[in-house]
Amino acid sequence: SVCANKNGEAAREEHNSLSKRRSMFSFESKNQTQHEHQSQQVVTPRRYRVFTLREFILQHYTAEYLMSGPILDIAGGKGDLSWLFTNADRFDSIVIDPRVTDHTKLTRTNDWLFDHPIEATERSEPLSDQFQPLTRLNIQKPYLPAKHIRLFMDQECVDSILKRKENSNDRLWCEYFKRATERAEELEGKLGHHQPKKKKKKEGKENTTKRMKTEINPNKKYDNNLDNNNL
């Protein structure tokens, strides 16, 4: 209601002031909205969300607190947040997720930036179209893998933790842990993780190639290892 009572010029100045209060991992969207002021939106690209989350945590918790014990990265997926905590901040962070972790994208990007210092400098500006947050972290080799426990953080897990806290008997906890990790291994590739998608895409390409060859000559059997020159 306060903003509604301001004149147009004052509201425009206030909006411009708020737009400048962005974090280093935010940028102004190129697509201007169609309202009367045609203001620019401040958004965070999806590909940078893990860096934004890390920045948020560092702003709201002290380094002493984060180093006082292990950080549990619940449902951490690929484990990128824990990888950043481990290599950029030296925090003890553990991924709790039944899916296999994969830090390939982060390590390859960081390697490329290290081998191309000129391009890395150009991509260190937050408002640049090619901004890369890794340029600000100065992560050096050798990289440390994020710790990972393959568990479902479900009700059974919570109940087992509470029982272990109440009872000093390790047998029940060991039985649960063995059962839970075996369950995660059995479901590998069936949990919507990114790695199986690449495999399916490759298989689909092979099937398409085989189908095209069959359409050319349905009476001839082809070896998938042969190239087009052997048709």
Side-chain angles (χ1 to χ4, degrees):
S1 61
V2 175
C3 293
N5 294 328
K6 294 183 178 180
N7 58 42
E9 184 64 27
R12 190 179 300 107
E13 291 178 359
E14 181 181 4
H15 172 77
N16 292 336
S17 176
L18 291 173
S19 296
K20 293 179 181 179
R21 301 175 192 173
R22 61 177 62 89
S23 68
M24 59 179 285
F25 300 126
S26 298
F27 76 113
E28 288 185 340
S29 172
K30 293 182 179 180
N31 299 322
Q32 292 186 340
T33 57
Q34 299 301 319
H35 59 75
E36 58 179 339
H37 299 301
Q38 299 219 341
S39 60
Q40 292 180 318
Q41 294 181 339
V42 179
V43 298
T44 299
R46 181 180 177 85
R47 63 183 180 276
Y48 294 158
R49 60 182 180 177
V50 64
F51 296 96
T52 304
L53 177 57
R54 169 185 170 272
E55 186 73 9
F56 175 85
I57 294 173
L58 294 179
Q59 291 176 354
H60 288 77
Y61 298 94
T62 64
E64 291 75 15
Y65 176 77
L66 294 173
M67 295 179 67
S68 63
I71 301 171
L72 297 184
D73 187 3
I74 306 298
K78 293 188 298 182
D80 286 348
L81 178 61
S82 287
W83 189 90
L84 291 174
F85 275 154
T86 301
N87 290 278
D89 307 296
R90 299 303 177 184
F91 296 153
D92 184 13
S93 187
I94 306 173
V95 181
I96 309 295
D97 197 296
R99 295 167 291 184
V100 178
T101 56
D102 181 15
H103 317 300
T104 304
K105 187 174 182 179
L106 285 173
T107 56
R108 286 181 177 177
T109 301
N110 200 68
D111 288 344
W112 187 91
L113 293 171
F114 182 81
D115 295 334
H116 300 79
I118 297 178
E119 291 83 351
T121 301
E122 295 173 349
R123 300 183 183 195
S124 63
E125 175 55 48
L127 297 183
S128 170
D129 291 337
Q130 295 182 324
F131 174 59
Q132 173 50 252
L134 280 172
T135 59
R136 296 295 189 93
L137 301 184
N138 193 30
I139 298 176
Q140 303 290 330
K141 289 184 176 181
Y143 305 129
L144 299 175
K147 295 179 180 178
H148 182 205
I149 299 178
R150 300 186 62 181
L151 291 178
F152 288 88
M153 184 53 69
D154 51 13
Q155 190 61 46
E156 183 183 12
C157 180
V158 174
D159 292 341
S160 298
I161 293 175
L162 294 176
K163 290 179 181 179
R164 177 63 183 83
K165 186 176 181 180
E166 297 172 355
N167 192 335
S168 60
N169 187 352
D170 291 336
R171 183 180 61 81
L172 295 178
W173 172 257
C174 291
E175 290 178 353
Y176 157 75
F177 192 85
K178 182 176 183 297
R179 182 171 64 255
T181 52
E182 288 177 349
R183 176 190 172 197
E185 292 174 357
E186 290 174 357
L187 294 177
E188 184 173 344
K190 303 177 182 179
L191 300 175
H193 197 267
H194 60 290
Q195 289 176 325
K197 291 182 180 179
K198 294 181 180 179
K199 185 176 180 181
K200 291 180 180 179
K201 183 177 180 180
K202 183 177 180 181
E203 291 175 352
K205 184 177 180 180
E206 292 177 350
N207 292 335
T208 301
T209 303
K210 184 176 180 180
R211 184 172 62 255
M212 291 175 63
K213 292 179 179 179
T214 305
E215 291 174 354
I216 294 175
N217 190 341
N219 297 322
K220 183 176 180 179
K221 294 183 179 180
Y222 295 99
D223 185 348
N224 285 333
N225 296 322
L226 299 179
D227 55 25
N228 293 333
N229 296 329
N230 293 318
L231 291 177

